[in-house]
Amino acid sequence: MQAIRWAQQMRNYLIIMRREFYYMWQDRVLRYVLIIGPVLAILFFSYLYSFQNVTDIPSAVVDLDHSAQSRELIRQLSNAENLKIENYPETYKELESLIDQGIAAVGIVIPENYGQDIMSGKQTRILGIIDGSNMIYATNASSTLIQVTGMISAETGIKTMVGMGMNLQEATEAYQAIEFKEEAWYNPTLNYAYFLILALALNMWQQCCVMAAAVNIIGETGVKSWPQVKASGFSKWKFFLPKSLMHLIIFMALVLPIYYIGFVLVKLPLCCSFGSLMGFTLVFALAIHSMGTMMSSLTNNAVDSTRFGMIVALPSFILCGYTWPLESMPAVISKAAWILPQTWFFQGFNHMTFKGAEFHAMKGYYLGLLIITVVCYAVSMMATARSER
Amino acid sequence: MDAIETNPMIRVEDLQQVISRQVVLDRINLTVERGECLGIFGTRGSGKTSLLHILAGIDRFYSGSVEVMGCKLPRQQEFKKKMGLLTQKQSLFRDLRTGENIDFIAGLKGAAKQDMEEVVEEYELQDYLKEPVSRLDAGVYQRVSLACAMLNRPELLILDEAIKDIDIYSRCLIVNKLTEFKGQGGTLLCGFSNIEFCPQMDRVGWLEDRKMSLMSPTQVQEKWERLVSDAGHKMGTANA
């Protein structure tokens, strides 16, 4: 008898899950948004960041000196990977015009007497103008200019010391008393693609998931068929359990092609095991589902619920500290950002994929997501029970 | 489950319902015996649907006491296993086809495959199983709704405007099935606003000004004729 009842219960759950699957599948817009959206996003972003680094920043050089030394400087600047010297204006005014028009993002002005000053061991100044309206260009151009001029400055200094009678070894050691060795760990080539592609695609995925979950409860209780469920005597908790389970299955199925394209086809770094990454993603899927479900239990109609979902899901990627560090945000916002499951996920995701963080290092992230899940589901249950009164 | 076997089928005492701070039902008292067909009559907005939804355990109520098959509402809901409901508004799942609706609601009600096959045959729905319910004619839609209500072989059937504005064939089929249901000892609670259905009832509760008066079908018809006649006179006086 117990077995029959259990089998009946399972059948009921499967019927509800099947209906939920067809519901999502039959809705053409939802189907395209959920399936095609995130996959297109990762394909598009992979292509977009296929050069992996910012190279060939359009640059212009004004050489007011026309000496052998200034030509050497231009040669060294031309060799820098990030800069592409395309224009050689004659005057500062011409350079200004090129930057104003957006033809050049970087301008370098070599002063008159540059070669003479170098030869006589006098200090000389090179002006570097960077178009700050593009932050990415500006940061990369700035570090390249510092690197190239630093190198020339060191060479010149050493040459001067040798000229003063010091041997080359001594001059080099004296000039470079402190050797600064820079090592970028986890992403040694500071590859933009590694850093951004998956995060952008996962951001799109999580937005789609929040939207779908945002109609979980109101999509049933707010429509005319709800009396059928209530009159059947079927527990609403048992009704929403298999429905939510199907959502989670769909969410996880949708993330698989993103991970496949990212880690297998585009070969993005994955330093942890795929199983543990999927486990962490599942906990995040649970958390965003609970958040969407909570919204769907607190609003009066599906449209409002979806709007709330969008209001939270869209800026959450900016707030999560992935693209702009949490430490650089105002204290109130950086603390409030931890209310969002996206913050726990994207921070933890970074640790896992780049650093291969083990479970003991990830415990906090799992716990954060699980607490959000419990709170959101509890609020959903209370709100739904209350609305039924 | 013992509670379900006790008599009467429905007992309502001093029921009050308030919606948006407005009293919709005021001190309703009612008893429905097993095997009885009780009609709830009233014009639009008189509170028929509110009362039927309370008795079906769908809506909560403001005050009073309601017992259905011995279950005290709203806490005890076991009676729903032996209840069927046909709502006034179309309440089948719009995203599902006819057959899928029957299958899905059977799952919710714990009905067996055999019950599904039987209702499909009884309500002559074989040709409509693959049709989306949103495309069904009103009459066929009501047949599907009633078939779904009957899936769990209920003892109590609550119907809200079951045969209003539908084709003659569906109407005859539904009336026939309801007569059969009553003949087998089933209890019917029918909300209606068309006086011509009155003779089908054993007793009628007339809902007016938030209160209910219980009458025989003949008394209801007499009262209705009197009201129509009064209205005619009033119009005549007004025209003169």
Side-chain angles (χ1 to χ4, degrees):
Chain A
M1 202 63 184
Q2 191 77 15
I4 294 170
R5 203 172 295 161
W6 187 82
Q8 178 69 41
Q9 192 91 310
M10 283 300 112
R11 181 180 171 268
N12 294 345
Y13 285 170
L14 285 175
I15 285 171
I16 294 168
M17 287 172 78
R18 192 180 61 191
R19 181 233 169 186
E20 194 57 25
F21 175 78
Y22 283 125
Y23 175 76
M24 293 178 105
W25 185 256
Q26 280 168 2
D27 187 328
R28 196 185 296 172
V29 177
L30 191 62
R31 188 170 72 209
Y32 288 160
V33 166
L34 281 176
I35 299 174
I36 300 176
V39 171
L40 263 185
I42 191 159
L43 289 173
F44 176 71
F45 292 130
S46 301
Y47 179 65
L48 189 75
Y49 292 105
S50 54
F51 292 124
Q52 305 191 345
N53 282 313
V54 177
T55 53
D56 298 341
I57 301 172
S59 310
V61 178
V62 184
D63 184 0
L64 299 175
D65 192 42
H66 298 290
S67 62
Q69 287 75 16
S70 67
R71 281 192 290 278
E72 174 59 18
L73 174 63
I74 292 169
R75 191 188 63 76
Q76 292 202 31
L77 285 169
S78 305
N79 287 341
E81 194 189 27
N82 303 51
L83 304 180
K84 188 178 184 186
I85 299 172
E86 293 173 326
N87 289 287
Y88 297 89
E90 289 296 321
T91 62
Y92 179 80
K93 205 140 190 78
E94 280 177 45
L95 173 68
E96 204 175 48
S97 164
L98 288 174
I99 293 175
D100 277 346
Q101 291 171 54
I103 296 170
V106 174
I108 298 142
V109 184
I110 304 170
E112 287 173 10
N113 304 325
Y114 167 79
Q116 205 180 325
D117 288 345
I118 289 241
M119 292 303 286
S120 57
K122 281 190 194 164
Q123 191 185 38
T124 184
R125 262 186 199 166
I126 299 166
L127 176 64
I129 302 161
I130 297 166
D131 181 354
S133 63
N134 187 322
M135 289 288 292
I136 306 286
Y137 271 175
T139 319
N140 280 276
S142 171
S143 67
T144 304
L145 286 180
I146 290 167
Q147 201 181 349
V148 172
T149 51
M151 202 171 71
I152 294 170
S153 180
E155 276 176 18
T156 313
I158 291 165
K159 272 181 195 168
T160 309
M161 286 178 173
V162 170
M164 287 162 72
M166 224 180 243
N167 72 40
L168 185 61
Q169 179 74 21
E170 281 173 345
T172 308
E173 280 174 9
Y175 202 86
Q176 295 176 328
I178 299 171
E179 188 189 0
F180 179 72
K181 200 178 168 207
E182 190 183 83
E183 282 181 21
W185 285 11
Y186 311 118
N187 185 8
T189 52
L190 300 179
N191 191 326
Y192 266 94
Y194 288 2
F195 177 66
L196 271 183
I197 292 175
L198 257 180
L200 290 173
L202 285 172
N203 176 41
M204 195 146 174
W205 167 77
Q206 66 88 13
Q207 284 173 15
C208 294
C209 294
V210 173
M211 303 292 162
V215 290
N216 190 13
I217 291 178
I218 194 71
E220 296 292 348
T221 57
V223 295
K224 288 175 185 168
S225 53
W226 185 235
Q228 291 284 359
V229 180
K230 290 185 83 178
S232 70
F234 198 83
S235 152
K236 49 182 173 287
W237 311 122
K238 285 182 185 170
F239 182 77
F240 285 114
L241 181 72
K243 198 171 140 72
S244 300
L245 195 62
M246 180 45 77
H247 284 176
L248 284 176
I249 292 171
I250 292 172
F251 292 175
M252 293 309 287
L254 292 174
V255 86
L256 278 175
I258 298 175
Y259 283 161
Y260 179 79
I261 295 169
F263 296 123
V264 180
L265 300 184
V266 185
K267 298 193 184 340
L268 299 175
L270 176 65
C271 295
C272 62
S273 73
F274 186 68
S276 55
L277 180 66
M278 282 302 279
F280 186 58
T281 310
L282 175 65
V283 178
F284 174 58
L286 202 61
I288 50 173
H289 183 267
S290 71
M291 195 175 72
T293 300
M294 184 178 75
M295 287 166 189
S296 76
S297 69
L298 295 173
T299 44
N300 291 324
N301 56 64
V303 177
D304 280 353
S305 186
T306 314
R307 282 179 186 150
F308 278 123
M310 280 171 72
I311 288 168
V312 174
L314 290 178
S316 62
F317 185 62
I318 306 292
L319 287 173
C320 79
Y322 198 86
T323 49
W324 181 255
L326 283 170
E327 294 76 10
S328 307
M329 293 179 193
V332 181
I333 294 176
S334 67
K335 284 198 170 74
W338 291 101
I339 296 171
L340 297 168
Q342 287 86 346
T343 307
W344 296 96
F345 176 68
F346 283 106
Q347 294 285 335
F349 179 81
N350 207 328
H351 281 293
M352 282 188 106
T353 53
F354 278 111
K355 302 177 183 175
E358 301 279 343
F359 180 73
H360 64 87
M362 291 296 296
K363 266 191 304 197
Y365 296 99
Y366 278 102
L367 192 66
L369 288 170
L370 286 172
I371 289 171
I372 291 170
T373 305
V374 171
V375 171
C376 289
Y377 279 141
V379 172
S380 311
M381 287 172 82
M382 284 191 287
T384 309
R386 202 175 162 194
S387 70
E388 295 288 304
R389 272 180 210 151
Chain B
M1 221 44 180
D2 289 343
I4 289 175
E5 302 304 328
T6 57
N7 283 321
M9 184 62 95
I10 297 172
R11 181 185 284 135
V12 177
E13 284 172 8
D14 288 332
L15 173 69
Q16 250 197 328
Q17 178 65 309
V18 178
I19 299 172
S20 305
R21 294 185 184 175
Q22 279 201 319
V23 179
V24 179
L25 299 169
D26 190 17
R27 292 170 188 274
I28 305 286
N29 288 288
L30 172 71
T31 306
V32 183
E33 299 300 332
R34 285 174 186 275
E36 190 182 4
C37 178
L38 179 81
I40 307 289
F41 178 76
T43 50
R44 193 182 166 91
S46 57
K48 295 187 298 292
T49 301
S50 297
L51 177 61
L52 293 174
H53 280 198
I54 289 170
L55 298 179
I58 289 179
D59 289 345
R60 304 233 172 178
F61 48 93
Y62 184 72
S63 66
S65 97
V66 178
E67 268 182 47
V68 182
M69 296 187 212
C71 297
K72 287 190 176 173
L73 269 60
R75 287 198 177 276
Q76 297 172 317
Q77 303 273 320
E78 292 89 344
F79 74 95
K80 287 180 176 174
K81 287 175 188 161
K82 295 193 173 184
M83 181 200 78
L85 171 72
L86 192 153
T87 56
Q88 184 183 8
K89 284 183 183 167
Q90 296 194 335
S91 63
L92 294 172
F93 294 88
R94 283 181 63 85
D95 53 300
L96 300 177
R97 294 167 194 276
T98 302
E100 290 167 345
N101 257 289
I102 295 170
D103 191 24
F104 188 64
I105 294 170
L108 294 178
K109 291 186 164 198
K113 197 166 191 292
Q114 194 191 338
D115 294 319
M116 286 159 56
E117 287 165 357
E118 279 175 18
V119 295
V120 167
E121 200 176 317
E122 282 175 28
Y123 292 89
E124 300 176 20
L125 301 171
Q126 297 91 333
D127 296 340
Y128 305 100
L129 293 176
K130 290 190 174 168
E131 286 281 317
V133 288
S134 52
R135 279 198 220 147
L136 296 177
D137 290 336
V140 180
Y141 191 100
Q142 287 301 75
R143 274 152 60 189
V144 179
S145 300
L146 187 57
C148 290
M150 297 296 275
L151 273 165
N152 53 333
R153 301 290 161 198
E155 290 177 15
L156 168 66
L157 200 50
I158 298 177
L159 311 169
D160 196 358
E161 302 282 13
I163 46 176
K164 192 183 177 188
D165 304 331
I166 61 170
D167 64 276
I168 294 171
Y169 183 77
S170 296
R171 186 169 148 174
C172 289
L173 195 144
I174 290 172
V175 170
N176 193 17
K177 290 294 163 195
L178 294 178
T179 312
E180 218 172 82
F181 172 75
K182 193 168 178 288
Q184 289 163 355
T187 309
L188 274 162
L189 199 58
C190 306
F192 66 101
S193 55
N194 191 333
I195 201 76
E196 68 173 292
F197 302 136
C198 210
Q200 320 277 340
M201 313 296 161
D202 295 331
R203 281 191 304 154
V204 177
W206 184 308
L207 269 172
E208 198 176 18
D209 294 332
R210 304 180 293 274
K211 294 192 184 287
M212 191 167 76
S213 330
L214 284 164
M215 310 173 184
S216 71
T218 323
Q219 286 173 316
V220 171
Q221 272 176 313
E222 284 169 4
K223 185 179 174 183
W224 178 259
E225 279 161 21
R226 208 168 47 243
L227 286 172
V228 172
S229 163
D230 286 353
H233 281 302
K234 223 174 184 178
M235 282 168 70
T237 316
N239 289 338

